[in-house]
Amino acid sequence: MNELELLNRLRDEVPARPDVRAEERRLLAEIRGGSPVPRKRPALRPRWGLALVACGVAAAAVVVSQLGGAERPVKVRPADPVGLLENAALVAARTKAVEIRSDQWFYIKESQHMPGGGGLPGFEHWSRMDGQKEAVRTRGKLRLGNGEKGPTNPGKTAQEVAALPTDPDQLLAHFRGLKEERTPLSICQPNCPEGTLPDVNAFGAIGWYLKFGPVIPPEKAAAMYRALAKIPNVTVQENVSDGDGRQGIGVVLDLGAAGKGTYILDPEDYHYMGIKVEQDGETASMSVLGSGIVDQPGQTP
């Protein structure tokens, strides 16, 4: 079996502990037109966006500071999934949309870690957006082949995403009604607890699409984060490691003995880093180590 067949088969400065309440009071005072509450670091000139979320008087703030000419996100991160995923949605919605030609290529570098030491560590894959060709680089050698016609084709994915609703409730209903599982890694199939399959389908589909990164338009990515927040029993967890040891924010669907799925989001801009699934005392994971749009196979963003 060659590499293509195998691939188709497996298919700032930021305080470590920000004073959340003080930051919320400062931002609320500014948005109401009052006198700004001074910050401890006056050299940082903030621009901010504030999302009010349910559960009492809670606020999820996304602050952008300018330090040395480079803009870096400074987040006051809420502990609840609704607030955190609303932050992720706001960041996604402000991302500049990428215009992609049919002759360009979607690049992704992934790793897969399976129980028992199996998997594909650090492989690179290119897919032409018109679906005609694909390429994989292993051991430093680039191999070209015919395009994947199934669901992993990024051009087909782009068409699917274009037809998706941007309303989170409608999007969640669509994903819950999927007849076939669409997920980076299965969490509990075929032994999902009774009544959980629609939520498992929705959780899996959101990760499947977010994996395609720049192929997903900003407004659709924002809707996916908001739909994810509406799935019952989804929780968030700080300082979660992916299969490659990178630290991120975990978005968790825990089905008890049936399995537990965790998406890992980047702690700075919330982009999708990967998934890990824990089941029967064993862990499988898939990580996105890099992605982007390039003009030819062999190029990286």
Side-chain angles (χ1 to χ4, degrees):
M1 179 180 296
N2 63 35
E3 287 89 345
L4 283 171
E5 291 173 337
L6 179 61
L7 179 62
N8 287 336
R9 180 181 174 182
L10 293 178
R11 289 317 253 187
D12 275 84
E13 185 167 308
V14 181
R17 295 283 183 183
D19 187 341
V20 175
R21 294 184 181 276
E23 189 69 11
E24 288 177 356
R25 288 196 297 270
R26 184 185 70 79
L27 292 171
L28 286 170
E30 290 189 19
I31 200 170
R32 290 168 180 163
S35 299
V37 178
R39 296 176 61 118
K40 292 182 180 180
R41 300 174 184 262
L44 303 181
R45 295 170 292 170
R47 300 200 310 271
W48 46 265
L50 182 66
L52 297 178
V53 298
C55 304
V57 187
V62 178
V63 181
V64 176
S65 70
Q66 185 152 349
L67 181 63
E71 291 191 351
R72 299 171 184 171
V74 180
K75 285 167 286 297
V76 178
R77 193 147 50 228
D80 65 289
V82 174
L84 186 138
L85 290 166
E86 177 62 21
N87 267 4
L90 290 171
V91 173
R94 288 198 301 269
T95 303
K96 185 178 180 181
V98 178
E99 294 185 7
I100 307 173
R101 302 189 313 268
S102 62
D103 65 339
Q104 289 184 300
W105 298 68
F106 171 65
Y107 165 81
I108 188 168
K109 183 177 182 180
E110 295 181 84
S111 66
Q112 295 179 10
H113 304 280
M114 310 305 287
L120 289 172
F123 64 93
E124 296 175 285
H125 183 230
W126 289 260
S127 299
R128 188 165 148 136
M129 291 300 296
D130 61 9
Q132 297 300 308
K133 296 289 183 180
E134 67 177 1
V136 62
R137 181 157 58 196
T138 57
R139 302 180 184 90
K141 186 173 182 179
L142 189 69
R143 299 178 182 274
L144 291 169
N146 293 327
E148 164 64 37
K149 302 302 182 182
T152 58
N153 183 305
K156 182 178 179 179
T157 298
Q159 294 175 356
E160 292 175 356
V161 172
L164 293 175
T166 55
D167 177 81
D169 291 306
Q170 294 177 11
L171 185 62
L172 184 57
H174 171 79
F175 286 150
R176 280 176 167 156
L178 291 176
K179 301 303 182 185
E180 296 181 0
E181 185 181 31
R182 183 73 66 88
T183 181
L185 285 176
S186 293
I187 299 173
C188 58
Q189 296 280 32
N191 300 312
C192 298
E194 185 177 357
T196 65
L197 191 55
D199 288 340
V200 171
N201 281 346
F203 187 86
I206 290 170
W208 173 268
Y209 285 111
L210 288 177
K211 170 186 167 181
F212 284 87
V215 174
I216 311 302
E219 69 277 7
K220 300 298 175 77
M224 290 179 195
Y225 285 119
R226 291 179 173 124
L228 191 58
K230 292 176 176 288
I231 298 175
N233 301 318
V234 164
T235 60
V236 295
Q237 183 180 349
E238 292 276 3
N239 301 318
V240 175
S241 296
D242 69 2
D244 292 82
R246 300 176 300 170
Q247 294 284 305
I249 305 165
V251 181
V252 184
L253 180 62
D254 193 340
L255 301 170
K260 175 181 175 182
T262 302
Y263 291 136
I264 297 94
L265 305 182
D266 185 273
E268 292 301 317
D269 64 6
Y270 302 105
H271 76 262
Y272 174 92
M273 293 170 57
I275 181 175
K276 65 179 180 180
V277 171
E278 300 164 78
Q279 191 177 54
D280 297 329
E282 296 183 323
T283 300
S285 66
M286 178 182 291
S287 301
V288 175
L289 305 175
S291 65
I293 304 299
V294 297
D295 290 329
Q296 60 186 31
Q299 286 185 341
T300 58

